[in-house]
Amino acid sequence: MLIIGSHVSFNKNEQLLGSVKEALGYGSNTFMFYTGAPQNTNRSDINESLIKEADKLMKENGIDKNKVIVHAPYIINLANDSKSYDFSINFLKQEIDRCAKLGIKNIVLHPGSHVGLGELKGLDNIVFALKEILKDDKGVKILLETMAGKGSELGKTTDELKYIIDNVNRCNLGVCLDTCHLHDSGVDLNNFEEYLKEFNEKIGIDKIGCIHVNDSMNGISSHKDRHANIGFGNIGFDTLINIIYNPLFEDIPKILETPYVTKMDDSKERVYAPYKSEIDMIKNKKFNSNMINELRVN
Ligand code: FE
Ligand code: FE
Ligand code: ZN
């Protein structure tokens, strides 16, 4: 069965319950969220009774909580040990504790940017930090995201991810593939089988715990990391459908992180979440070139 969802919000009033409601509104059977603003450290206390309500709603609607994903805040950078390294390590530990409290078993992490230290030093910093963070097993798996290679981002090649995974050498460390990032890093997704073969030889397909499904605004190897709506970018609908429905990924959650659409309606500028429409297209395996025009408030 297709496990599909999108990025959703997590607000302090409804917390996980609000996230589940939002996901269900898009026709999703999974979802991903940040436990607070991705760019700061303000975090509200976890409300236990909201978790219970959320769990009940998930159960009623066939959402497997084990597949739900948290995304670590992008202020965390484990690759550079000259600035806020200890902060990053401690904050990621706290985020993992929050996941454990919420009952979420997977957290996606950007490996980090070396910011001038060089790739090898950056990778070694990531390895050191992850060993420290994963020392005690909280039942939460870190999924390293494949990156576009913007600036000095690491994790832009299978070899870099392999280096981290091999040297950290813990079973609670996996990978999250991001289609936009792979494309922007130079992977030809029309030849996805070839990529998977290499990935399997070097890292192992069993390490994949999540797939971010995004189209890309830019060409292959652009290293830009700008997501486009499904079928409206340079990757294209059919190529993404091919990846989404790959039988090897049947049990892996697919998460959309495509951009909200801003357009004029009734002479007012309005912002729409594209997820319900995109998930419909994916379920029907049929591209709707008019999708953006058809977005309406309801
Ligand atoms: Fe990400
Ligand atoms: Fe992503
Ligand atoms: Zn991205």
Side-chain angles (χ1 to χ4, degrees):
M1 192 191 57
L2 175 66
I3 306 171
I4 185 108
S6 70
H7 168 257
V8 297
S9 59
F10 179 92
N11 61 54
K12 65 175 187 298
N13 296 322
E14 279 204 301
Q15 300 190 355
L16 191 59
L17 179 62
S19 307
V20 177
K21 286 179 183 169
E22 184 180 344
L24 291 172
Y26 300 144
S28 302
N29 57 4
T30 193
F31 57 96
M32 178 179 82
F33 63 98
Y34 290 95
T35 73
Q39 69 279 17
N40 68 42
T41 56
N42 306 332
R43 295 290 181 271
S44 43
D45 289 334
I46 302 290
N47 177 323
E48 305 275 345
S49 73
L50 287 172
I51 299 176
K52 281 202 190 109
E53 280 186 72
D55 287 353
K56 187 168 166 271
L57 194 57
M58 281 188 266
K59 218 171 172 186
E60 285 167 0
N61 288 280
I63 294 180
D64 179 358
K65 196 178 184 183
N66 295 321
K67 310 275 179 188
V68 174
I69 310 281
V70 160
H71 197 308
Y74 43 72
I75 40 165
I76 291 175
N77 182 8
L78 302 181
N80 189 301
D81 64 349
S82 62
K83 36 187 181 196
S84 49
Y85 191 52
D86 292 337
F87 158 81
S88 288
I89 292 173
N90 286 323
F91 195 48
L92 185 51
K93 280 184 181 172
Q94 286 171 39
E95 284 287 287
I96 288 172
D97 287 341
R98 284 169 69 76
C99 287
K101 224 179 219 173
L102 287 163
I104 304 296
K105 300 203 160 59
N106 312 282
I107 182 165
V108 167
L109 173 74
H110 295 178
S113 297
H114 65 73
V115 208
L117 295 182
E119 292 180 349
L120 192 56
K121 178 77 172 105
L123 289 170
D124 283 334
N125 285 336
I126 296 168
V127 169
F128 179 88
L130 287 176
K131 274 187 168 164
E132 166 65 24
I133 291 158
L134 293 170
K135 210 166 49 193
D136 2 80
D137 189 352
K138 301 272 172 74
V140 179
K141 198 171 194 173
I142 294 180
L143 301 173
L144 298 172
E145 185 162 351
T146 61
M147 301 309 289
K150 189 170 138 188
S152 61
E153 270 173 1
L154 295 166
K156 61 189 180 298
T157 63
T158 307
D159 286 322
E160 289 177 1
L161 292 170
K162 177 182 169 56
Y163 183 90
I164 300 169
I165 289 168
D166 286 355
N167 285 290
V168 174
N169 191 23
R170 293 201 191 273
C171 57
N172 46 359
L173 184 60
V175 174
C176 168
L177 303 182
D178 184 308
T179 55
C180 170
H181 299 174
L182 286 175
H183 166 89
D184 285 19
S185 76
V187 175
D188 179 4
L189 294 176
N190 293 311
N191 222 331
F192 190 62
E193 295 303 321
E194 194 179 297
Y195 171 78
L196 266 193
K197 189 169 172 275
E198 185 198 338
F199 187 97
N200 194 36
E201 282 163 11
K202 291 181 172 168
I203 297 176
I205 285 185
D206 56 313
K207 287 278 181 195
I208 300 171
C210 178
I211 300 179
H212 286 171
V213 183
N214 303 304
D215 213 323
S216 172
M217 288 199 185
N218 296 100
I220 188 166
S221 307
S222 64
H223 305 293
K224 290 260 174 65
D225 188 6
R226 292 195 60 210
H227 302 186
N229 293 104
I230 302 301
F232 291 90
N234 284 274
I235 299 174
F237 190 74
D238 293 342
T239 302
L240 291 170
I241 285 290
N242 225 355
I243 296 170
I244 294 167
Y245 285 97
N246 187 317
L248 291 170
F249 298 153
E250 202 181 341
D251 293 329
I252 298 170
K254 328 286 184 313
I255 302 288
L256 303 171
E257 305 172 293
T258 48
Y260 275 56
V261 175
T262 307
K263 58 172 185 154
M264 297 294 286
D265 270 334
D266 310 325
S267 60
K268 249 192 166 154
E269 195 173 76
R270 296 182 194 272
V271 182
Y272 300 94
Y275 305 125
K276 184 167 189 329
S277 306
E278 289 179 326
I279 288 169
D280 277 346
M281 291 197 301
I282 289 167
K283 285 178 178 169
N284 300 329
K285 300 188 190 177
K286 199 174 176 322
F287 180 56
N288 173 9
S289 59
N290 207 27
M291 182 204 95
I292 288 177
N293 295 328
E294 288 172 4
L295 290 169
R296 286 283 177 275
V297 192
N298 42 29

